[in-house]
Amino acid sequence: MNIKDIIESKLSEIILNVYQLKDINLEIQENKTEFEGDFTIVTFPLVKQLKKNPESIGVELGQALTEQTDLLESFNVVKGFLNVKVKNRFFMDQFKAVTEGFSVIEKKNSTVMVEYSSPNTNKPLHLGHVRNNLLGFSVSQILKEAGYDVIKCQIINDRGIHICKSMLAWEKFGRGETPETTDTKGDKFVGNYYVEFDKNYKKEISELVEQGMSEEQAKKEAPLIKEAQQMLLDWENGDERVRNLWSEMNAWVYKGFGETYQRLGVNFDQIQYESNTYILGKDLIQEGLDKGILYQKEDGSVWCDLTDEGLDQKLLLRSDGTSVYMTQDLGTAVERFKQNDIQKLIYTVGNEQDYHFQVLFKILGKLGYSWADQLYHLSYGMVELPNGKMKSREGTVVDADELMQDMHDIAKSKSEELGKLEHFTEEEKNANYENVGIGALKYFMLKVDPKKKMLFNPEESIDFNGNTGPFIQYTYARIQSLLAKAQFEQKEAESTDLNQSEKELIMQLANFKTVVARSAETLSPALVANYVYDLVKTYNSFYQSNPILNHEDKNVTQFRLNISDLAAKTIRKSLQLLGIETVNRM
């Protein structure tokens, strides 16, 4: 329990005993004013109930806290605000408790599955996937730190008409080339043929329109789309030639994806493939029909009526018996709970799919699955660059690999400009550019609340001042330099008189686990990102105003090195929760 919680608990007792009022929680703020005191207690909520002025309530509470606890050194009341100065030893005890408990994780005995990434195998990962992956991975890390067991998973969309378009274009225009013969990353290689299909398809549509056909009809009658549809039928019928080509081209893509994931620093515990899951769900449909939960139309299609839930009627099985995405998602959810002992399932998917997940969760609830209320859609806003939105079929998508390389190059340019790495080897420099560049990308993406649409500015993200990844990494490196220079060893320091900047830093460090718990509860890495930024600002203020190595009292030096070490560990842990590497020198 931190000092703030102790004060809150004692206040509740006093208010109950003195005023016989239950469930009154007064707001307690860390004191940032010029008035003496470590915390400010807002007394105004008691004014109406007690029919007293706020100043007298403040005095009564201050006196009661002084008499009934050993917490306070002094207090003062200013216009109804009770400012309390806590005894030095409580801060020292707080620091000791935070240091000892830093690596302790209280297990929740609950397993959460987090789904993220889930790309299509017809194109490389793009900027939208970057936010998705960083968000899903960071949420997984935060949930682990909060005591949950976590299974990170993705489902790869490896079948369908879009995949056949890439395959057909390669057959027609590829002349037998491969990623190896063209020295092209596998996912980009296949993505190029998706673009090639679209280019030739549009050409065929134009020719048919010129011959007098309507554009709508031309889109259906173009030879390429008919061949792609036939290829999909052949795939579903197990045609050996099509299946072999599909396996080969998907293998190229998976290799490419793997390289991107590695550089992005994300990974998975389980991978599912739509080619295996698309048949799931059909048994559920029959079960729903038997129970009268679903209904069948005259054409044979199966629907779920959700109008009573404020939604619409949802198609679950086409008249020809083929499934839709909703059918597959129903089956996949059931399969995941069958195969894993999980208590919660989180889908990290953009907010354009909000309605889809509302429907999915409602249908699973209607089908009688008790865990349906433990499904959660981690909905996030789209990402744009300053030069506009992304497009995919025209080949102008913001490529994830190119974005990461750009970040590396910008980090290199800025570091050279500032002359920060003059004494590094080339290998050390490159590692530093990578950590700073990718760290800047991750921090900038994650410091924004997931629900918000965001504008990502690569240049702005790599700034060694302000609310950025490099600023935080630089502070960590500065502390490491200090500890190395001092040849630091962790030793207990005797109690010392703490100044305001030391107290503020202790309180900030004590908040770490609370922030992690809140971040896990809200599934928002932005809370951790902004916490570590505030911690770094607080540490820098402490560092600027307190002599450390040249202090005449060795005990004070030891304490300040101890608090610097804990600050560094907390910064490092916070960045790890965001998937960001630290650097010891910058």
Side-chain angles (χ1 to χ4, degrees):
M1 189 181 286
N2 62 36
I3 297 171
K4 201 181 203 179
D5 293 335
I6 294 169
I7 296 171
E8 192 174 281
S9 174
K10 293 296 181 187
L11 269 177
S12 294
E13 283 179 29
I14 288 167
I15 291 168
L16 178 62
N17 294 335
V18 175
Y19 304 123
Q20 286 75 52
L21 295 176
K22 287 183 180 179
D23 302 322
I24 300 291
N25 293 312
L26 298 182
E27 184 182 354
I28 303 171
Q29 305 165 342
E30 291 175 19
N31 192 1
K32 304 288 185 184
T33 70
E34 72 277 12
F35 300 109
E36 185 179 355
D38 304 309
F39 297 93
T40 297
I41 299 161
V42 182
T43 64
F44 296 102
L46 288 171
V47 170
K48 190 174 181 181
Q49 298 195 54
L50 298 178
K51 295 182 173 56
K52 294 183 178 182
N53 67 55
E55 286 84 356
S56 62
I57 294 170
V59 171
E60 287 173 4
L61 290 177
Q63 288 173 341
L65 278 169
T66 304
E67 292 164 6
Q68 298 181 31
T69 74
D70 192 30
L71 272 169
L72 302 193
E73 188 174 300
S74 64
F75 74 89
N76 63 80
V77 180
V78 182
K79 295 181 180 177
F81 294 96
L82 169 61
N83 302 304
V84 297
K85 187 173 183 181
V86 176
K87 287 182 179 177
N88 194 77
R89 68 179 176 83
F90 284 95
F91 284 98
M92 294 299 291
D93 290 346
Q94 178 86 91
F95 177 65
K96 184 179 179 183
V98 173
T99 303
E100 290 174 351
F102 182 74
S103 300
V104 177
I105 296 176
E106 292 182 17
K107 298 296 285 180
K108 295 279 195 300
N109 297 318
S110 177
T111 302
V112 181
M113 177 176 277
V114 182
E115 179 200 284
Y116 55 96
S117 195
S118 304
N120 297 325
T121 57
N122 63 317
K123 52 191 173 186
L125 303 176
H126 55 62
L127 180 59
H129 289 115
V130 171
R131 189 176 198 191
N132 182 300
N133 276 272
L134 297 182
L135 185 56
F137 183 78
S138 180
V139 162
S140 300
Q141 296 292 94
I142 289 165
L143 287 168
K144 281 182 190 174
E145 185 65 22
Y148 295 92
D149 292 317
V150 177
I151 300 170
K152 296 169 290 184
C153 75
Q154 68 166 324
I155 180 163
I156 297 181
N157 302 304
D158 64 340
R159 64 168 285 281
I161 191 68
H162 49 296
I163 311 297
C164 291
K165 288 177 180 179
S166 295
M167 291 163 58
L168 183 62
W170 182 83
E171 272 195 333
K172 284 186 168 296
F173 315 117
R175 300 178 301 280
E177 65 183 19
T178 67
E180 289 76 20
T181 62
T182 58
D183 194 26
T184 309
K185 193 162 166 281
D187 51 338
K188 287 185 174 51
F189 180 85
V190 172
N192 290 339
Y193 281 101
Y194 184 64
V195 173
E196 188 68 23
F197 176 93
D198 195 64
K199 185 175 74 177
N200 285 275
Y201 177 43
K202 282 181 176 173
K203 186 180 174 186
E204 288 184 350
I205 292 169
S206 295
E207 288 170 355
L208 290 172
V209 169
E210 282 175 17
Q211 293 167 22
M213 193 179 286
S214 71
E215 186 175 345
E216 197 62 38
Q217 190 64 21
K219 286 179 180 178
K220 295 176 184 174
E221 296 299 328
L224 268 177
I225 196 67
K226 286 192 165 186
E227 286 185 76
Q229 288 165 346
Q230 183 58 50
M231 183 176 269
L232 179 58
L233 284 173
D234 292 341
W235 182 90
E236 288 179 350
N237 292 327
D239 181 277
E240 187 176 356
R241 180 192 64 81
V242 172
R243 284 280 180 149
N244 287 342
L245 174 60
W246 170 77
S247 296
E248 184 177 26
M249 291 184 74
N250 274 345
W252 295 338
V253 174
Y254 299 147
K255 188 170 184 289
F257 283 171
E259 292 169 21
T260 304
Y261 289 143
Q262 185 173 8
R263 188 170 190 183
L264 199 55
V266 302
N267 52 49
F268 305 91
D269 303 308
Q270 289 184 14
I271 298 176
Q272 291 172 296
Y273 299 91
E274 194 190 317
S275 54
N276 295 328
T277 63
Y278 83 105
I279 53 173
L280 296 173
K282 288 192 177 182
D283 289 345
L284 294 180
I285 303 303
Q286 189 55 54
E287 184 185 321
L289 284 170
D290 293 343
K291 290 180 178 177
I293 297 163
L294 309 178
Y295 71 96
Q296 195 162 25
K297 289 189 176 179
E298 288 181 6
D299 64 358
S301 60
V302 179
W303 297 72
C304 183
D305 186 357
L306 295 170
T307 51
D308 288 347
E309 313 279 348
L311 304 173
D312 62 5
Q313 297 187 40
K314 186 66 185 175
L315 174 69
L316 297 178
L317 215 59
R318 297 187 187 95
S319 57
D320 62 2
T322 57
S323 60
V324 295
Y325 272 115
M326 184 62 69
T327 326
Q328 298 165 37
D329 283 351
L330 290 167
T332 303
V334 172
E335 191 74 5
R336 283 171 171 171
F337 276 87
K338 273 184 189 172
Q339 300 295 329
N340 302 279
D341 181 17
I342 55 176
Q343 282 67 57
K344 188 167 188 170
L345 171 54
I346 297 166
Y347 296 87
T348 312
V349 182
N351 58 14
E352 74 277 10
Q353 294 293 327
D354 284 353
Y355 188 76
H356 174 87
F357 285 102
Q358 283 182 49
V359 172
L360 175 66
F361 302 163
K362 291 286 186 189
I363 294 174
L364 285 165
K366 276 182 170 291
L367 290 172
Y369 292 100
S370 58
W371 41 257
D373 59 358
Q374 294 304 312
L375 302 173
Y376 185 83
H377 175 206
L378 178 49
S379 173
Y380 61 90
M382 292 295 99
V383 190
E384 294 178 13
L385 288 173
N387 58 358
K389 293 184 179 180
M390 306 175 298
K391 295 179 181 177
S392 59
R393 275 178 294 187
E394 288 81 5
T396 56
V397 65
V398 181
D399 181 87
D401 296 313
E402 289 172 14
L403 179 62
M404 285 191 282
Q405 188 57 45
D406 283 347
M407 297 302 294
H408 177 105
D409 294 342
I410 295 169
K412 178 180 179 181
S413 172
K414 294 238 177 159
S415 296
E416 287 175 347
E417 185 184 309
L418 295 168
K420 285 184 174 289
L421 306 177
E422 289 172 354
H423 305 296
F424 284 46
T425 66
E426 282 305 309
E427 187 178 345
E428 287 172 333
K429 284 180 182 178
N430 275 316
N432 204 285
Y433 304 147
E434 186 73 1
N435 283 339
V436 171
I438 303 301
L441 168 67
K442 292 180 177 183
Y443 185 82
F444 204 94
M445 288 270 184
L446 293 170
K447 74 177 182 179
V448 178
D449 184 275
K451 294 181 179 64
K452 293 181 180 176
K453 184 172 77 172
M454 69 171 296
L455 183 72
F456 175 67
N457 188 325
E459 288 282 349
E460 189 183 316
S461 72
I462 300 186
D463 189 336
F464 288 88
N465 295 296
N467 191 3
T468 66
F471 174 66
I472 294 163
Q473 288 172 315
Y474 180 70
T475 300
Y476 177 84
R478 170 193 270 180
I479 300 174
Q480 292 308 304
S481 175
L482 168 71
L483 297 175
K485 190 174 180 181
Q487 298 180 311
F488 171 73
E489 287 181 34
Q490 179 77 49
K491 296 177 193 168
E492 190 167 338
E494 295 172 17
S495 185
T496 178
D497 286 334
L498 300 174
N499 59 40
Q500 196 60 32
S501 67
E502 290 168 321
K503 288 179 178 179
E504 284 178 13
L505 186 51
I506 288 170
M507 287 190 280
Q508 190 76 279
L509 291 166
N511 286 337
F512 173 68
K513 287 190 181 289
T514 302
V515 170
V516 170
R518 200 181 312 127
S519 182
E521 184 184 333
T522 60
L523 303 179
S524 176
L527 297 180
V528 173
N530 289 292
Y531 163 80
V532 72
Y533 173 58
D534 288 339
L535 172 60
V536 161
K537 287 192 296 181
T538 305
Y539 179 82
N540 286 336
S541 176
F542 155 81
Y543 182 83
Q544 297 294 339
S545 57
N546 292 287
I548 300 178
L549 298 184
N550 58 355
H551 197 283
E552 65 274 8
D553 187 335
K554 297 300 177 192
N555 183 61
V556 172
T557 293
Q558 183 65 48
F559 172 74
R560 290 178 179 171
L561 287 171
N562 287 350
I563 201 171
S564 295
D565 179 56
L566 182 59
K569 285 175 179 172
T570 308
I571 293 166
R572 183 177 184 181
K573 173 62 74 175
S574 299
L575 290 178
Q576 284 174 344
L577 297 181
L578 302 173
I580 298 171
E581 298 288 330
T582 48
V583 288
N584 289 336
R585 293 193 299 157
M586 280 180 77

